[in-house]
Amino acid sequence: GNKIVPSIIIGNKIDLRTAEDFGVDDEIANKFVEKLSQQYGQSMNYIKTSALTGENIENAFEKLINDLVKLARNARK
């Protein structure tokens, strides 16, 4: 059967988003995440982060840890 692996797509360097030519816009990123979710048959999360400022770094790890805990609890049932 399919094995679910908790996954998060991280869009880093949001501190540079003010530059016109930098990065991928949110619409394209969300379509990519949706395509991956369909391809692997599981919901994936997309979180925008900045390693420079620390924005959303903790949130990304907390979300991944919470997904792992849920998966472990469901495996025991």
Side-chain angles (χ1 to χ4, degrees):
N2 289 344
K3 292 188 177 191
I4 295 176
V5 178
S7 303
I8 295 178
I9 307 301
I10 296 176
N12 194 32
K13 296 195 179 282
I14 59 173
D15 52 281
L16 297 178
R17 284 268 171 114
T18 56
E20 290 180 20
D21 295 330
F22 181 80
V24 175
D25 68 29
D26 287 340
E27 184 178 345
I28 292 171
N30 287 325
K31 285 181 181 179
F32 177 73
V33 172
E34 184 179 317
K35 183 178 178 181
L36 281 179
S37 295
Q38 290 173 355
Q39 181 178 349
Y40 291 102
Q42 69 181 54
S43 178
M44 294 192 186
N45 294 291
Y46 170 55
I47 297 178
K48 297 180 287 185
T49 65
S50 170
L52 180 67
T53 67
E55 186 175 351
N56 280 339
I57 298 292
E58 278 189 42
N59 292 342
F61 282 102
E62 285 175 8
K63 177 65 181 151
L64 185 57
I65 290 167
N66 287 336
D67 288 350
L68 287 166
V69 168
K70 283 181 197 173
L71 184 64
R73 286 183 181 153
N74 288 338
R76 287 188 227 152
K77 292 181 181 179

